Amino acid sequence: MTTASREHIRWFRNTAPYINAHRGKTFVLMIGGEVAQHDNFYYIIHDIALLNSLGIRLVLVHGNRPQIDERLQQAGIENKFHQDIRITDSVAMPHVADAAGALRAQIEAGLSMGLPNSPMQGASIRVCSGNFITAKPIGVVDGVDFQHTGRVRRMDIAGISQQLAAGSIVLLSPLGYSPTGEIFNLALEDIAVHCAAAINADKLLLFGSAAGLINSEGKLLRQIAVGDMANLKFYDKEQARLAATAQRACLAGVERCQVISYQDDCAMLEELFTHDGSGTLVATDDYEQLRTATIDDVGGIIELIEPLEQQGVLLKRSRELLETEIKQFRLLERDGRILACAALYPYPDEGCGEVACVITHPEYRGGKRGQRLLRELEAEARRLGLDRVFILTTQTAHWFIEQGFEERSRDDLPAKKQNLYNLQRKSKVFFKSLS
Protein backbone atom coordinates (compact mmCIF):
# COMPACT_ATOMS: atom_id res chain seq x y z
CA MET A 1 0.00 0.00 0.00
CA THR A 2 1.35 3.44 -0.94
CA THR A 3 1.97 6.25 1.56
CA ALA A 4 -0.88 8.27 0.01
CA SER A 5 -3.25 5.32 0.37
CA ARG A 6 -2.32 4.93 4.03
CA GLU A 7 -2.98 8.61 4.63
CA HIS A 8 -6.48 8.18 3.21
CA ILE A 9 -7.05 5.18 5.48
CA ARG A 10 -5.83 7.11 8.52
CA TRP A 11 -8.10 10.03 7.64
CA PHE A 12 -11.04 7.64 7.30
CA ARG A 13 -10.19 6.08 10.67
CA ASN A 14 -10.12 9.53 12.29
CA THR A 15 -13.63 10.27 11.01
CA ALA A 16 -15.11 7.40 13.04
CA PRO A 17 -15.98 9.52 16.10
CA TYR A 18 -17.85 11.98 13.88
CA ILE A 19 -19.64 9.26 11.95
CA ASN A 20 -20.82 7.81 15.25
CA ALA A 21 -21.77 11.24 16.61
CA HIS A 22 -23.76 12.26 13.50
CA ARG A 23 -25.62 8.99 12.89
CA GLY A 24 -29.34 9.46 13.55
CA LYS A 25 -29.00 13.24 13.86
CA THR A 26 -31.07 15.70 11.84
CA PHE A 27 -29.38 18.32 9.65
CA VAL A 28 -31.10 21.07 7.68
CA LEU A 29 -29.14 22.28 4.63
CA MET A 30 -29.91 25.77 3.27
CA ILE A 31 -28.93 25.84 -0.40
CA GLY A 32 -29.39 29.11 -2.30
CA GLY A 33 -30.19 29.22 -5.99
CA GLU A 34 -26.60 30.34 -6.64
CA VAL A 35 -25.37 26.97 -5.39
CA ALA A 36 -27.25 25.08 -8.08
CA GLN A 37 -25.62 27.25 -10.76
CA HIS A 38 -22.09 26.50 -9.59
CA ASP A 39 -19.95 23.70 -11.04
CA ASN A 40 -19.33 22.29 -7.56
CA PHE A 41 -23.04 21.58 -7.04
CA TYR A 42 -22.51 18.19 -8.72
CA TYR A 43 -20.10 17.23 -5.92
CA ILE A 44 -22.30 18.69 -3.19
CA ILE A 45 -25.02 16.29 -4.37
CA HIS A 46 -22.53 13.43 -3.99
CA ASP A 47 -21.69 14.58 -0.47
CA ILE A 48 -25.39 14.80 0.42
CA ALA A 49 -25.78 11.21 -0.76
CA LEU A 50 -22.85 10.20 1.45
CA LEU A 51 -24.40 11.86 4.51
CA ASN A 52 -27.63 10.01 3.81
CA SER A 53 -25.77 6.68 3.58
CA LEU A 54 -24.18 7.39 6.99
CA GLY A 55 -27.59 7.53 8.64
CA ILE A 56 -27.95 11.32 8.89
CA ARG A 57 -31.52 12.59 8.51
CA LEU A 58 -31.53 15.42 5.97
CA VAL A 59 -33.84 18.27 5.06
CA LEU A 60 -32.76 20.31 2.02
CA VAL A 61 -34.17 23.82 1.71
CA HIS A 62 -33.41 25.37 -1.66
CA GLY A 63 -33.73 28.92 -2.88
CA ASN A 64 -34.24 30.26 -6.40
CA ARG A 65 -33.46 34.01 -6.41
CA PRO A 66 -31.18 34.02 -9.49
CA GLN A 67 -33.48 31.64 -11.33
CA ILE A 68 -36.45 33.99 -10.74
CA ASP A 69 -34.36 36.98 -11.87
CA GLU A 70 -33.50 35.19 -15.11
CA ARG A 71 -37.10 34.29 -15.89
CA LEU A 72 -38.44 37.74 -15.16
CA GLN A 73 -35.72 39.33 -17.27
CA GLN A 74 -36.48 36.99 -20.16
CA ALA A 75 -40.17 37.84 -19.88
CA GLY A 76 -39.46 41.57 -19.73
CA ILE A 77 -40.95 41.86 -16.24
CA GLU A 78 -39.47 44.32 -13.78
CA ASN A 79 -37.91 42.95 -10.57
CA LYS A 80 -39.55 44.79 -7.67
CA PHE A 81 -38.10 44.91 -4.16
CA HIS A 82 -38.83 46.75 -0.93
CA GLN A 83 -36.50 46.46 2.07
CA ASP A 84 -34.58 43.84 0.07
CA ILE A 85 -37.71 41.63 -0.12
CA ARG A 86 -39.15 40.68 -3.49
CA ILE A 87 -42.62 41.94 -4.29
CA THR A 88 -44.42 39.09 -6.05
CA ASP A 89 -47.41 40.27 -8.02
CA SER A 90 -49.81 38.15 -10.05
CA VAL A 91 -47.72 38.67 -13.21
CA ALA A 92 -44.48 37.48 -11.56
CA MET A 93 -46.00 34.59 -9.60
CA PRO A 94 -46.13 32.03 -12.46
CA HIS A 95 -42.43 32.62 -13.15
CA VAL A 96 -41.63 32.22 -9.45
CA ALA A 97 -43.47 28.91 -9.34
CA ASP A 98 -41.78 27.79 -12.56
CA ALA A 99 -38.32 28.59 -11.17
CA ALA A 100 -39.05 26.67 -7.95
CA GLY A 101 -40.40 23.65 -9.81
CA ALA A 102 -37.51 23.48 -12.27
CA LEU A 103 -34.88 23.68 -9.56
CA ARG A 104 -36.68 21.13 -7.40
CA ALA A 105 -36.67 18.75 -10.39
CA GLN A 106 -32.95 19.40 -10.94
CA ILE A 107 -32.13 18.52 -7.33
CA GLU A 108 -34.34 15.43 -7.38
CA ALA A 109 -32.68 14.30 -10.60
CA GLY A 110 -29.22 14.77 -9.08
CA LEU A 111 -30.13 12.73 -6.01
CA SER A 112 -31.60 10.00 -8.22
CA MET A 113 -28.33 9.29 -10.01
CA GLY A 114 -26.85 5.82 -9.67
CA LEU A 115 -24.07 5.73 -12.24
CA PRO A 116 -21.52 2.92 -11.95
CA ASN A 117 -18.05 3.94 -10.77
CA SER A 118 -19.41 7.10 -9.17
CA PRO A 119 -20.13 8.09 -5.53
CA MET A 120 -23.84 7.72 -6.32
CA GLN A 121 -23.59 4.04 -7.29
CA GLY A 122 -26.09 2.04 -5.27
CA ALA A 123 -27.33 5.12 -3.36
CA SER A 124 -31.07 4.51 -4.00
CA ILE A 125 -32.08 7.76 -2.32
CA ARG A 126 -35.76 8.57 -1.82
CA VAL A 127 -36.56 12.29 -2.04
CA CYS A 128 -39.83 13.59 -0.67
CA SER A 129 -41.27 17.06 -1.34
CA GLY A 130 -44.77 18.43 -0.89
CA ASN A 131 -47.01 20.89 0.89
CA PHE A 132 -45.15 20.86 4.20
CA ILE A 133 -45.29 24.65 4.60
CA THR A 134 -48.37 26.67 5.45
CA ALA A 135 -47.82 30.32 4.56
CA LYS A 136 -49.40 33.70 5.20
CA PRO A 137 -49.06 36.94 3.23
CA ILE A 138 -46.65 39.62 4.38
CA GLY A 139 -49.39 42.09 3.55
CA VAL A 140 -48.87 45.84 3.32
CA VAL A 141 -45.67 47.31 4.82
CA ASP A 142 -44.79 51.02 4.57
CA GLY A 143 -47.71 51.37 2.18
CA VAL A 144 -46.28 48.66 -0.11
CA ASP A 145 -48.41 45.60 -0.85
CA PHE A 146 -46.20 42.52 -1.15
CA GLN A 147 -49.12 40.60 -2.70
CA HIS A 148 -47.99 36.97 -3.23
CA THR A 149 -44.86 37.27 -1.12
CA GLY A 150 -45.41 35.54 2.20
CA ARG A 151 -43.94 34.24 5.42
CA VAL A 152 -43.97 30.82 7.05
CA ARG A 153 -47.02 30.35 9.22
CA ARG A 154 -46.31 26.79 10.36
CA MET A 155 -44.45 23.64 9.33
CA ASP A 156 -45.94 20.18 9.03
CA ILE A 157 -43.65 18.76 11.70
CA ALA A 158 -45.36 15.37 11.82
CA GLY A 159 -45.20 14.97 8.05
CA ILE A 160 -41.53 15.92 7.82
CA SER A 161 -40.58 13.72 10.78
CA GLN A 162 -42.45 10.77 9.29
CA GLN A 163 -40.52 11.04 6.03
CA LEU A 164 -37.19 11.41 7.82
CA ALA A 165 -37.94 8.37 9.97
CA ALA A 166 -38.60 6.40 6.78
CA GLY A 167 -35.14 7.30 5.48
CA SER A 168 -36.22 9.88 2.91
CA ILE A 169 -34.49 13.18 2.23
CA VAL A 170 -37.07 15.94 2.58
CA LEU A 171 -36.80 18.69 -0.04
CA LEU A 172 -38.46 22.03 0.68
CA SER A 173 -38.95 24.59 -2.08
CA PRO A 174 -39.43 28.32 -1.36
CA LEU A 175 -43.19 28.12 -1.81
CA GLY A 176 -45.92 27.97 0.81
CA TYR A 177 -49.63 27.36 0.62
CA SER A 178 -52.54 28.91 2.47
CA PRO A 179 -55.68 27.10 3.70
CA THR A 180 -57.56 28.97 0.96
CA GLY A 181 -55.36 27.44 -1.75
CA GLU A 182 -53.15 30.46 -2.48
CA ILE A 183 -49.45 30.09 -3.33
CA PHE A 184 -46.88 32.36 -1.71
CA ASN A 185 -43.28 33.10 -2.59
CA LEU A 186 -41.21 32.63 0.58
CA ALA A 187 -37.70 33.64 1.59
CA LEU A 188 -35.20 30.80 1.72
CA GLU A 189 -33.87 31.97 5.10
CA ASP A 190 -37.35 32.12 6.61
CA ILE A 191 -38.03 28.49 5.69
CA ALA A 192 -34.62 27.25 6.86
CA VAL A 193 -34.88 28.87 10.30
CA HIS A 194 -38.50 27.82 10.89
CA CYS A 195 -37.86 24.26 9.74
CA ALA A 196 -34.68 23.75 11.74
CA ALA A 197 -36.33 25.09 14.90
CA ALA A 198 -39.63 23.25 14.39
CA ILE A 199 -38.10 19.79 13.92
CA ASN A 200 -35.39 20.34 16.59
CA ALA A 201 -32.59 19.94 14.05
CA ASP A 202 -29.16 19.25 15.46
CA LYS A 203 -27.48 21.47 12.86
CA LEU A 204 -28.34 24.05 10.24
CA LEU A 205 -25.77 24.17 7.44
CA LEU A 206 -25.70 27.39 5.41
CA PHE A 207 -23.92 27.52 2.05
CA GLY A 208 -22.24 30.75 0.93
CA SER A 209 -19.68 31.78 -1.67
CA ALA A 210 -16.87 32.33 0.88
CA ALA A 211 -15.19 29.77 3.14
CA GLY A 212 -17.38 30.86 6.05
CA LEU A 213 -18.20 34.15 7.76
CA ILE A 214 -15.60 36.81 6.95
CA ASN A 215 -15.46 39.94 9.07
CA SER A 216 -14.96 43.46 7.71
CA GLU A 217 -11.18 43.05 8.07
CA GLY A 218 -11.17 40.03 5.77
CA LYS A 219 -10.57 37.43 8.49
CA LEU A 220 -12.33 34.06 8.47
CA LEU A 221 -14.11 33.60 11.79
CA ARG A 222 -13.79 29.96 12.83
CA GLN A 223 -16.40 30.10 15.57
CA ILE A 224 -18.78 32.69 17.01
CA ALA A 225 -21.02 32.63 20.06
CA VAL A 226 -24.39 34.23 19.37
CA GLY A 227 -23.84 36.70 22.17
CA ASP A 228 -20.77 38.09 20.36
CA MET A 229 -22.43 38.65 16.98
CA ALA A 230 -23.87 42.10 17.74
CA ASN A 231 -20.37 43.61 17.64
CA LEU A 232 -19.36 42.06 14.31
CA LYS A 233 -19.42 43.62 10.87
CA PHE A 234 -19.24 41.64 7.64
CA TYR A 235 -17.81 42.63 4.30
CA ASP A 236 -20.86 42.16 2.02
CA LYS A 237 -24.63 41.60 1.98
CA GLU A 238 -24.40 37.85 1.49
CA GLN A 239 -22.21 37.52 4.58
CA ALA A 240 -24.51 39.72 6.65
CA ARG A 241 -27.53 37.69 5.52
CA LEU A 242 -25.89 34.37 6.40
CA ALA A 243 -24.80 35.69 9.80
CA ALA A 244 -28.29 37.01 10.54
CA THR A 245 -29.85 33.69 9.53
CA ALA A 246 -27.49 31.72 11.76
CA GLN A 247 -28.19 34.08 14.66
CA ARG A 248 -31.97 33.78 14.20
CA ALA A 249 -31.75 30.00 14.09
CA CYS A 250 -29.66 29.78 17.26
CA LEU A 251 -32.02 32.13 19.09
CA ALA A 252 -34.91 29.94 17.90
CA GLY A 253 -33.34 26.91 19.58
CA VAL A 254 -30.94 25.42 17.00
CA GLU A 255 -27.75 24.77 18.94
CA ARG A 256 -25.31 24.89 16.05
CA CYS A 257 -25.25 26.56 12.64
CA GLN A 258 -22.33 26.12 10.29
CA VAL A 259 -21.54 28.42 7.38
CA ILE A 260 -19.53 26.74 4.62
CA SER A 261 -18.50 27.34 1.03
CA TYR A 262 -20.41 25.94 -1.92
CA GLN A 263 -17.44 26.71 -4.17
CA ASP A 264 -14.84 24.57 -2.38
CA ASP A 265 -15.05 20.85 -3.09
CA CYS A 266 -15.35 18.72 0.07
CA ALA A 267 -15.99 21.78 2.30
CA MET A 268 -19.08 20.19 3.86
CA LEU A 269 -17.31 16.90 4.61
CA GLU A 270 -14.32 18.73 6.04
CA GLU A 271 -16.62 20.81 8.25
CA LEU A 272 -18.47 17.78 9.57
CA PHE A 273 -15.74 15.14 9.81
CA THR A 274 -12.56 16.92 10.93
CA HIS A 275 -11.59 18.54 14.23
CA ASP A 276 -11.23 22.08 12.93
CA GLY A 277 -13.72 22.04 10.07
CA SER A 278 -13.58 24.33 7.05
CA GLY A 279 -16.01 27.16 7.74
CA THR A 280 -17.61 29.05 10.61
CA LEU A 281 -19.52 27.61 13.53
CA VAL A 282 -22.19 29.81 15.11
CA ALA A 283 -23.37 28.36 18.41
CA THR A 284 -25.73 29.32 21.21
CA ASP A 285 -22.74 29.25 23.56
CA ASP A 286 -19.00 28.74 23.32
CA TYR A 287 -18.21 25.84 21.00
CA GLU A 288 -15.56 24.60 23.41
CA GLN A 289 -17.20 23.62 26.66
CA LEU A 290 -15.48 24.29 29.97
CA ARG A 291 -16.41 21.73 32.62
CA THR A 292 -15.25 19.77 35.65
CA ALA A 293 -13.43 16.54 34.83
CA THR A 294 -14.88 13.13 35.64
CA ILE A 295 -13.32 9.69 36.06
CA ASP A 296 -13.99 9.03 32.36
CA ASP A 297 -11.60 11.87 31.46
CA VAL A 298 -8.49 10.34 33.05
CA GLY A 299 -7.32 8.78 29.78
CA GLY A 300 -7.66 12.07 27.90
CA ILE A 301 -5.78 13.98 30.59
CA ILE A 302 -2.98 11.40 30.54
CA GLU A 303 -2.74 11.87 26.76
CA LEU A 304 -2.20 15.60 27.34
CA ILE A 305 0.31 15.43 30.20
CA GLU A 306 2.46 12.41 29.24
CA PRO A 307 4.59 14.23 26.62
CA LEU A 308 5.32 17.03 29.10
CA GLU A 309 6.16 14.53 31.84
CA GLN A 310 8.65 12.88 29.48
CA GLN A 311 10.23 16.29 28.76
CA GLY A 312 10.51 17.02 32.47
CA VAL A 313 8.15 19.99 32.27
CA LEU A 314 5.67 18.27 34.61
CA LEU A 315 6.14 15.98 37.57
CA LYS A 316 4.90 12.51 36.70
CA ARG A 317 1.44 11.57 37.99
CA SER A 318 0.22 7.98 38.09
CA ARG A 319 -3.19 7.01 36.79
CA GLU A 320 -4.19 6.11 40.34
CA LEU A 321 -3.26 9.60 41.60
CA LEU A 322 -5.16 11.24 38.74
CA GLU A 323 -8.23 9.17 39.51
CA THR A 324 -8.03 10.30 43.14
CA GLU A 325 -7.58 13.98 42.20
CA ILE A 326 -9.84 14.09 39.15
CA LYS A 327 -12.35 16.51 40.69
CA GLN A 328 -9.61 19.13 40.96
CA PHE A 329 -9.31 19.32 37.15
CA ARG A 330 -11.15 21.62 34.75
CA LEU A 331 -11.27 20.84 31.02
CA LEU A 332 -11.91 22.53 27.71
CA GLU A 333 -13.64 20.04 25.43
CA ARG A 334 -14.71 20.05 21.80
CA ASP A 335 -16.80 17.21 20.38
CA GLY A 336 -15.62 14.83 23.10
CA ARG A 337 -11.93 15.66 22.68
CA ILE A 338 -10.03 17.29 25.58
CA LEU A 339 -8.15 20.31 24.24
CA ALA A 340 -6.81 21.74 27.50
CA CYS A 341 -6.81 21.08 31.23
CA ALA A 342 -5.81 22.70 34.52
CA ALA A 343 -6.19 21.84 38.19
CA LEU A 344 -6.71 23.73 41.45
CA TYR A 345 -5.62 22.33 44.82
CA PRO A 346 -6.98 24.47 47.69
CA TYR A 347 -5.09 25.11 50.95
CA PRO A 348 -7.94 26.79 52.86
CA ASP A 349 -6.06 27.12 56.16
CA GLU A 350 -3.44 29.31 54.44
CA GLY A 351 -5.99 31.12 52.23
CA CYS A 352 -4.33 30.04 49.00
CA GLY A 353 -4.53 27.42 46.28
CA GLU A 354 -2.13 25.74 43.88
CA VAL A 355 -2.73 25.97 40.13
CA ALA A 356 -1.22 22.97 38.36
CA CYS A 357 -1.19 21.10 35.03
CA VAL A 358 -2.14 24.07 32.83
CA ILE A 359 -1.77 22.28 29.50
CA THR A 360 -3.11 22.86 25.99
CA HIS A 361 -2.97 20.22 23.26
CA PRO A 362 -0.14 21.10 20.80
CA GLU A 363 -2.57 21.37 17.88
CA TYR A 364 -4.67 24.00 19.72
CA ARG A 365 -2.08 26.32 21.22
CA GLY A 366 -2.35 30.03 20.53
CA GLY A 367 -6.08 30.26 21.19
CA LYS A 368 -5.77 31.58 24.77
CA ARG A 369 -7.26 28.40 26.18
CA GLY A 370 -4.75 28.38 29.02
CA GLN A 371 -5.82 31.90 29.99
CA ARG A 372 -9.47 30.86 29.93
CA LEU A 373 -8.83 27.92 32.25
CA LEU A 374 -6.69 30.05 34.54
CA ARG A 375 -9.48 32.66 34.84
CA GLU A 376 -11.92 29.89 35.72
CA LEU A 377 -9.64 28.52 38.44
CA GLU A 378 -9.04 31.99 39.85
CA ALA A 379 -12.80 32.59 39.99
CA GLU A 380 -13.24 29.24 41.74
CA ALA A 381 -10.52 30.12 44.25
CA ARG A 382 -12.35 33.33 45.08
CA ARG A 383 -15.58 31.39 45.58
CA LEU A 384 -13.70 29.19 48.06
CA GLY A 385 -12.60 32.27 49.98
CA LEU A 386 -8.95 32.09 48.89
CA ASP A 387 -7.05 35.32 48.36
CA ARG A 388 -3.97 33.96 46.50
CA VAL A 389 -3.01 31.26 44.05
CA PHE A 390 0.48 29.91 43.40
CA ILE A 391 2.27 27.73 40.87
CA LEU A 392 5.52 25.77 40.78
CA THR A 393 7.24 25.70 37.41
CA THR A 394 10.60 24.89 35.86
CA GLN A 395 10.08 26.01 32.24
CA THR A 396 6.96 28.18 31.90
CA ALA A 397 7.75 31.07 34.25
CA HIS A 398 7.41 33.78 31.59
CA TRP A 399 3.86 32.75 30.68
CA PHE A 400 2.74 32.94 34.31
CA ILE A 401 4.47 36.29 34.79
CA GLU A 402 2.43 37.57 31.82
CA GLN A 403 -0.70 36.39 33.67
CA GLY A 404 0.14 38.51 36.73
CA PHE A 405 2.15 36.07 38.85
CA GLU A 406 5.19 37.25 40.83
CA GLU A 407 8.15 35.16 41.97
CA ARG A 408 8.35 34.32 45.66
CA SER A 409 10.45 32.15 47.95
CA ARG A 410 9.49 28.53 48.53
CA ASP A 411 9.24 29.52 52.19
CA ASP A 412 5.99 31.30 51.22
CA LEU A 413 4.41 27.99 50.25
CA PRO A 414 1.89 26.31 52.58
CA ALA A 415 3.63 24.04 55.09
CA LYS A 416 2.20 20.87 53.51
CA LYS A 417 3.47 21.92 50.10
CA GLN A 418 6.93 22.80 51.45
CA ASN A 419 7.22 19.27 52.81
CA LEU A 420 6.49 17.89 49.33
CA TYR A 421 8.84 20.28 47.50
CA ASN A 422 11.21 18.41 45.17
CA LEU A 423 14.70 19.82 45.75
CA GLN A 424 16.08 18.09 42.63
CA ARG A 425 13.59 19.81 40.28
CA LYS A 426 14.29 23.25 41.82
CA SER A 427 10.91 24.57 40.65
CA LYS A 428 10.41 28.30 40.87
CA VAL A 429 7.53 29.55 42.98
CA PHE A 430 5.10 32.24 41.77
CA PHE A 431 2.12 33.76 43.57
CA LYS A 432 -0.77 35.88 42.34
CA SER A 433 -3.04 37.96 44.56
CA LEU A 434 -6.78 37.59 43.86
CA SER A 435 -7.84 40.71 45.73
Side-chain angles (χ1 to χ4, degrees):
M1 185 179 289
T2 64
T3 301
S5 297
R6 288 188 182 278
E7 285 301 315
H8 283 104
I9 295 298
R10 291 190 184 98
W11 179 87
F12 183 58
R13 180 188 295 154
N14 290 334
T15 65
Y18 296 98
I19 293 173
N20 294 331
H22 296 332
R23 185 179 294 112
K25 298 297 176 63
T26 301
F27 296 174
V28 175
L29 278 57
M30 190 183 89
I31 301 173
E34 301 82 3
V35 183
Q37 294 178 328
H38 196 273
D39 291 342
N40 195 49
F41 185 57
Y42 176 78
Y43 299 104
I44 292 175
I45 288 292
H46 290 174
D47 294 344
I48 290 171
L50 176 58
L51 298 185
N52 178 256
S53 71
L54 293 174
I56 298 171
R57 296 148 53 106
L58 298 172
V59 178
L60 310 185
V61 183
H62 77 83
N64 57 3
R65 288 191 183 104
Q67 289 81 2
I68 293 174
D69 290 342
E70 289 176 4
R71 282 165 170 76
L72 294 181
Q73 184 178 7
Q74 292 170 1
I77 300 172
E78 179 187 0
N79 271 302
K80 300 176 184 178
F81 292 88
H82 179 67
Q83 296 181 354
D84 206 29
I85 302 173
R86 187 187 299 276
I87 300 168
T88 312
D89 57 25
S90 57
V91 176
M93 191 64 220
H95 299 279
V96 170
D98 179 58
L103 187 49
R104 184 182 70 235
Q106 178 186 344
I107 296 172
E108 290 176 348
L111 291 169
S112 299
M113 288 189 296
L115 296 175
N117 302 318
S118 82
M120 300 292 291
Q121 182 177 356
S124 299
I125 295 172
R126 185 187 305 113
V127 182
C128 177
S129 57
N131 58 339
F132 293 111
I133 306 170
T134 300
K136 60 184 178 182
I138 289 179
V140 179
V141 179
D142 299 331
V144 176
D145 187 354
F146 281 88
Q147 301 184 56
H148 296 285
T149 300
R151 291 194 176 98
V152 176
R153 183 177 179 183
R154 63 174 178 269
M155 309 290 301
D156 181 3
I157 302 172
I160 294 173
S161 299
Q162 183 179 16
Q163 294 300 325
L164 292 175
S168 299
I169 293 179
V170 174
L171 178 61
L172 301 179
S173 297
L175 298 176
Y177 308 93
S178 73
T180 58
E182 294 176 279
I183 304 175
F184 289 100
N185 180 22
L186 306 179
L188 166 67
E189 296 82 3
D190 193 30
I191 300 172
V193 170
H194 275 85
C195 178
I199 65 174
N200 295 317
D202 298 284
K203 293 180 186 289
L204 171 60
L205 301 178
L206 312 172
F207 287 83
S209 57
L213 291 179
I214 314 291
N215 66 13
S216 56
E217 300 173 352
K219 179 183 177 182
L220 172 63
L221 303 173
R222 304 298 305 196
Q223 61 187 70
I224 311 172
V226 170
D228 297 332
M229 294 191 72
N231 301 320
L232 295 175
K233 293 183 179 180
F234 300 95
Y235 77 92
D236 64 15
K237 285 186 176 181
E238 181 200 42
Q239 289 278 301
R241 187 168 63 245
L242 289 168
T245 303
Q247 184 179 31
R248 281 180 57 203
C250 287
L251 293 175
V254 182
E255 291 188 358
R256 293 185 178 184
C257 297
Q258 283 151 284
V259 182
I260 53 179
S261 171
Y262 63 75
Q263 299 190 22
D264 296 338
D265 187 21
C266 301
M268 180 165 62
L269 298 183
E270 185 179 353
E271 178 68 16
L272 293 173
F273 296 101
T274 64
H275 283 301
D276 295 319
S278 64
T280 301
L281 173 86
V282 181
T284 51
D285 51 15
D286 287 331
Y287 184 22
E288 295 171 2
Q289 301 297 317
L290 193 156
R291 63 176 178 82
T292 301
T294 70
I295 195 70
D296 294 330
D297 298 312
V298 169
I301 294 174
I302 289 174
E303 181 185 348
L304 276 182
I305 68 177
E306 268 188 342
L308 297 178
E309 289 175 345
Q310 293 169 5
Q311 296 168 27
V313 177
L314 292 177
L315 194 64
K316 186 172 180 59
R317 286 173 168 82
S318 67
R319 174 180 283 271
E320 291 75 15
L321 180 61
L322 277 174
E323 290 176 352
T324 302
E325 300 178 344
I326 193 64
K327 291 185 178 179
Q328 312 304 131
F329 281 80
R330 301 296 175 268
L331 310 175
L332 273 176
E333 178 189 70
R334 179 193 296 180
D335 287 335
R337 186 183 195 189
I338 298 173
L339 306 186
C341 71
L344 176 68
Y345 297 90
Y347 291 84
D349 293 341
E350 287 87 352
C352 62
E354 180 185 6
V355 172
C357 282
V358 183
I359 308 163
T360 301
H361 192 285
E363 295 178 9
Y364 294 90
R365 288 174 185 160
K368 297 186 177 181
R369 294 174 177 86
Q371 288 95 323
R372 184 179 173 192
L373 282 168
L374 180 60
R375 288 196 303 269
E376 171 65 18
L377 295 185
E378 290 174 357
E380 184 175 346
R382 291 188 184 96
R383 289 193 294 270
L384 294 173
L386 309 181
D387 54 25
R388 297 173 300 155
V389 289
F390 68 89
I391 60 102
L392 292 123
T393 182
T394 58
Q395 299 181 33
T396 57
H398 285 182
W399 186 86
F400 284 100
I401 291 171
E402 290 171 1
Q403 312 311 313
F405 284 77
E406 297 178 353
E407 188 170 2
R408 292 285 187 269
S409 165
R410 65 185 176 94
D411 293 335
D412 293 322
L413 292 170
K416 290 182 180 179
K417 192 65 184 178
Q418 288 187 43
N419 294 334
L420 295 173
Y421 185 86
N422 189 323
L423 293 173
Q424 291 183 332
R425 284 178 58 82
K426 296 182 180 179
S427 299
K428 292 186 176 182
V429 177
F430 291 83
F431 273 82
K432 180 179 181 178
S433 173
L434 301 178
S435 57

